Amino acid sequence: MDLPEGLKLIDENGKRLDGRRPDELRPIKIEAGVLKRADGSAYVEMGKNKILAAVYGPRECHPRHLQDPSKAIVQCAYNMLSFSVDDRKRPGPDRRSIEISKILSEALERVVFLEQFPRTSIDVYIAVLQANAGTRCAGLTAASVALADAGIPMRDLVPACAAGKVADTIVLDLNKEEDNFGQADLPLAYLPRTGEILLLQMDGHMTQDEFERAVELAKGGCSRIYALQQEALKRKYSVIVSEEESKAGEVS
Ligand code: CDP
């Protein structure tokens, strides 16, 4: 898509359209345990993205033919709601949401201790309430907090964010204008503790050197998001612990 006349993705001071420096994330808010009836849940805002994740299970696997006698499967359903984008999105699954659901399921299956729950399914629903580029990353960030909130045994949280190339500059966490009019977008999920990459895609063109710089930038973004995920879980569970303590105090 051509850049509208007069629109500069990076200005003369090196700042982006929303005022960020190339290596800055959008403001992020993460809240754990926001839905009462789900086994686990999380809400994430990443810039103008607003995303809810709900986890159910481990529970009997449906459809039955997907059951694995040796382990659980993770079934992730990414859904962009009709009102989440500028042009109303037609409800229901499409090629894009099927692809995103698949790659998110695969990333989450790498961290959950699946062998502990044979024949079951861990169902993860991701609802994009408002989209502004980077929803698969924000969805994965939310989903792993929701899995932890459900108490599902897993070896790590999965932070994700994109980097890319905009006006010949390598930038972190592209927003919608940068995604539309930029040169490349590279979503990445990275475990800071072990150095593993659980998701890496790329749209557009970069040289090998640019690609390597974008990967490093996205890894740095993931490390910052990882800390926020941990804080969100601690916030929720420290409240529960202090409520339990005050109840115990009333009884005694
Ligand atoms: O959201 P993400 O960057 O992971 O995926 P994308 O396919 O690169 O989409 C980028 C953005 O385009 C989304 O976040 C939405 O803001 C927008 N989009 C849209 O407006 N309508 C669609 N049907 C799909 C995406």
Side-chain angles (χ1 to χ4, degrees):
M1 212 186 286
D2 287 336
L3 191 66
E5 215 172 312
L7 188 72
K8 267 195 180 165
L9 292 174
I10 308 269
D11 71 11
E12 40 293 326
N13 302 316
K15 290 276 181 73
R16 297 153 70 177
L17 276 179
D18 53 13
R20 283 183 291 159
R21 293 186 312 273
D23 62 351
E24 247 181 284
L25 288 168
R26 290 174 283 188
I28 300 181
K29 181 175 142 186
I30 305 179
E31 208 178 325
V34 291
L35 301 173
K36 203 167 163 213
R37 290 192 187 83
D39 294 324
S41 59
Y43 173 68
V44 167
E45 284 182 8
M46 192 171 188
K48 291 179 188 157
N49 289 317
K50 296 187 178 187
I51 295 178
L52 259 180
V55 167
Y56 297 85
R59 62 185 180 183
E60 192 179 352
C61 180
H62 288 287
R64 279 269 177 90
H65 68 88
L66 292 179
Q67 269 189 13
D68 186 329
S70 64
K71 59 178 169 57
I73 60 167
V74 174
Q75 297 194 85
C76 193
Y78 166 101
N79 182 22
M80 204 169 214
L81 299 176
S82 304
F83 52 80
S84 66
V85 288
D86 289 338
D87 300 321
R88 175 181 179 278
K89 185 195 165 287
R90 198 159 170 264
D94 52 18
R95 278 174 62 101
R96 178 177 172 276
S97 65
I98 293 168
E99 173 217 318
I100 296 178
S101 300
K102 180 175 186 295
I103 54 157
L104 300 191
S105 303
E106 287 169 358
L108 294 170
E109 284 194 336
R110 296 274 305 278
V111 291
V112 174
F113 290 115
L114 302 171
E115 291 73 18
Q116 294 188 11
F117 307 102
R119 296 184 194 283
T120 66
S121 171
I122 297 166
D123 300 326
V124 182
Y125 297 92
I126 297 176
V128 178
L129 312 178
Q130 189 170 286
N132 193 260
T135 58
R136 74 195 62 205
C137 292
L140 190 50
T141 298
S144 66
V145 173
L147 281 170
D149 181 49
I152 292 176
M154 56 202 283
R155 62 190 172 91
D156 222 334
L157 292 163
V158 186
C161 75
K165 182 177 168 185
V166 164
D168 295 326
T169 309
I170 301 302
V171 299
L172 183 61
D173 188 21
L174 281 68
N175 67 20
K176 182 82 168 74
E177 288 76 22
E178 294 172 331
D179 185 304
N180 282 2
F181 305 117
Q183 293 144 298
D185 179 29
L186 182 147
L188 182 113
Y190 167 74
L191 305 186
R193 249 171 11 94
T194 59
E196 285 162 90
I197 290 177
L198 302 191
L199 181 155
L200 193 159
Q201 298 185 291
M202 191 169 101
D203 189 11
H205 300 279
M206 281 192 265
T207 64
Q208 185 164 345
D209 172 60
E210 288 168 339
F211 170 80
E212 283 164 13
R213 282 193 285 135
V215 167
E216 285 313 307
L217 197 57
K219 283 182 178 178
C222 288
S223 300
R224 280 178 257 161
I225 295 169
Y226 185 62
L228 298 175
Q229 289 177 304
Q230 289 176 313
E231 274 171 32
L233 287 161
K234 281 185 196 153
R235 249 192 335 267
K236 182 188 168 196
Y237 287 96
S238 59
V239 170
I240 291 180
V241 169
S242 57
E243 278 169 5
E244 291 299 321
E245 280 169 356
S246 63
K247 267 190 216 151
E250 281 164 25
V251 173
S252 59

